[in-house]
Amino acid sequence: MPVHPHCTPDALALRFATETQRFTASHPRSMAQAQAAAQHFLFGVPLHWMRDWPSPASLFVEQAQGAQLTCADGHTYSDFCLGDTGAMFGHSPAPVAQAIAAQASRGLTSMLPSSQTAEVGALLATTFGLPQWQMALTASDANRFVLRWARAVTQRPQLLVFDGCYHGAVDDTLVDLQGNSTVARPSVLGQVHNHAAFTRIVPFNDLAALEAALADRQVACLLAEPALTNCGLVLPHNDKDGGFWPAAQALCQRYGTLLALDETHTLSTGCGGYARVHGLRPDLLVMGKAVAGGLPCAVYGFTNALAQRMVDAKQAAPEGHSGIGTTLAGNALALATLRAALRHLHTPATYAPALTLANQLAQGLRDCLRRHRLDWSVTQLGTRMELLCTAQPPRNASDMRRSSNHALESLLHLFMLNRGVLLTPFHNMLLVSPATTPADVQQLLALLDTFLTA
Ligand SMILES: Cc1ncc(COP(=O)(O)O)c(C=O)c1O
């Protein structure tokens, strides 16, 4: 059944064709650059996901600053995608740009710790509440390393994830729930091993399923986002005493499973991330993307007790490659940039205006839906929110799959893009940065109103 009487597949396809023509006519330079780039780049882009936008060619970016982005055709956009979180503090935040410039002529990488290391460690501990840290270049890498440490210290083979999860290019987590079994996600390319063999998967917000998966004490680690953000935004349910996470955390402790929270996207919750804001006590935390203001950098933190077990595991192993780490991890440029981000971006003062504006945007979206008598809803996690074509916010990934409408979402994205607003190319996810202005929010709300009227 269509989500709205006018949203038949044919009507959506017709509108989409009109918007595609509009993009082509108004973006001649992006169209030409796409053709030129295709000579030497697979799919015409340096990363093939850049073609996941609904436009007929990628938008080629001339520059991005704050919450604004300008394309090769000179159009300026209010950016609510923000590099799918990498720029959640805005594009090129001033303290980060200054730190990069200052370090650029003082050495980029030496495979030695720079003299800022101890200060960065102290800042990480104060900001995120765990005492011990290691660095990586991407959140995918950090997650891979966390899983390896977890298996090494617990000597348990299995991992546990939630259905609908995404933790980056980490094969063990690229799995789906089919009935009660774990299957390799069919879209994964080129994997010859059965990477689902050592991973269990359960629905989010389901404590009984979680306990059943942990009970035989074979699970080294539960790797989870505190709220699902990659199959759409699914919040943890807080309808039982204390809510889902305190109970899930207690189950992990009861069965000796490490709890690793991937806060790469849930840093949107508030300063320090979801666990800090809600008083959770994970064994491990992972953050990438925006942790150093958008410069490639990721970190993972852990407790002192776990650090001791990691040292013991390393010392018990023969000399040689651990399978953990990459040469450029913890390089001088990343450390200097991370230091600036921790001092100036991961602060209550930076978050406060973004959280206020995000609340206004969420309210504005709800008001707009009400005016149009649409039984849709908005879920919000701090500065991140999602517009859902369903009245009931989903409780897990299968609810989310049932409620999503790809054709309608693509049309909305292209409609907005053609009129100067960028949304994340999947779902209707919006992110507000400290650089976002009330005028950006008004522009988005006015466009949504026009879209729904049309
Ligand atoms: C929760 C989460 N963790 C990890 C990653 C992987 O980040 P990266 O692609 O920067 O390695 C993503 C990417 O979207 C993510 O959403």
Side-chain angles (χ1 to χ4, degrees), residues 328-341:
L328 296 182
N331 67 74
L333 184 65
L335 265 164
T337 313
L338 180 58
R339 174 172 170 259

Side-chain angles (χ1 to χ4, degrees), residues 54 409-417 423-428:
E409 285 161 14
S410 299
L411 176 60
L412 176 62
H413 295 173
L414 188 53
F415 179 94
M416 292 271 182
L417 187 153
L423 310 184
T424 312
F426 10 83
H427 317 289
N428 291 324

Side-chain angles (χ1 to χ4, degrees), residues 224-259:
E225 286 190 275
L228 301 184
T229 70
N230 280 288
C231 62
L233 184 57
V234 183
L235 301 180
H237 263 241
N238 290 327
D239 51 1
K240 290 190 114 185
D241 345 70
F244 175 71
W245 271 117
Q249 181 176 264
L251 286 175
C252 288
Q253 276 160 5
R254 182 179 316 156
Y255 294 108
T257 293
L258 297 170
L259 174 60

Side-chain angles (χ1 to χ4, degrees), residues 361-423:
L361 175 56
Q363 191 52 49
L365 293 172
R366 291 189 184 105
D367 292 346
C368 186
L369 296 178
R370 203 168 307 120
R371 275 198 308 281
H372 286 271
R373 298 177 199 284
L374 277 172
D375 212 5
W376 294 359
S377 53
V378 177
T379 38
Q380 186 187 356
L381 188 66
T383 60
R384 180 186 299 280
M385 70 198 71
E386 187 174 31
L387 176 66
L388 293 156
C389 308
T390 172
Q392 202 55 40
R395 206 183 155 87
N396 54 38
S398 59
D399 284 358
M400 188 56 97
R401 286 181 198 111
R402 270 194 300 276
S403 74
S404 78
N405 182 324
H406 184 67
L408 180 59
E409 285 161 14
S410 299
L411 176 60
L412 176 62
H413 295 173
L414 188 53
F415 179 94
M416 292 271 182
L417 187 153
N418 275 336
R419 292 158 183 81
V421 168
L422 290 187
L423 310 184

